[in-house]
Amino acid sequence: RVEHIVGVRNRVMAGLLDQGWEVPAPQGNFVWLPLGERSVDAGEVFLRHGAIVRVFPDSGVRVTVAEDASVDAILAAAAELVR
């Protein structure tokens, strides 16, 4: 299971980097997006796309990486935020 989650997380990271995000190297089952004052609004975008997030207002968003289906949801939300 851990190996699978790491693979999913690596796909998410690759997609985020391709979109131009600067993301700290993850060590767990989530990625951290340092969004500052945009965190609350970004959290709503991720939730609307079906991604599991924890918002830290004025700091960032912790996006949980779970199953394969989470990759599309996370990257779709991130792409919306980039625009």
Side-chain angles (χ1 to χ4, degrees):
R1 176 121 174 103
V2 171
E3 188 174 306
H4 177 75
I5 295 297
V6 168
V8 173
R9 184 190 69 202
N10 290 343
R11 287 180 26 226
V12 168
M13 282 295 295
L16 291 171
L17 294 173
D18 284 348
Q19 291 179 6
W21 289 91
E22 292 184 24
V23 183
Q27 301 299 315
N29 67 333
F30 64 89
V31 294
W32 174 255
L33 297 176
L35 293 164
E37 62 187 35
R38 296 177 49 206
S39 299
V40 173
D41 292 336
E44 292 173 8
V45 171
F46 279 102
L47 288 174
R48 192 171 64 246
H49 282 274
I52 301 168
V53 298
R54 182 168 179 203
V55 176
F56 295 84
D58 298 323
S59 186
V61 177
R62 176 186 155 157
V63 183
T64 301
V65 176
E67 301 302 325
D68 293 313
S70 69
V71 175
D72 291 338
I74 292 167
L75 295 180
E80 183 177 327
L81 290 168
V82 169
R83 288 182 279 206

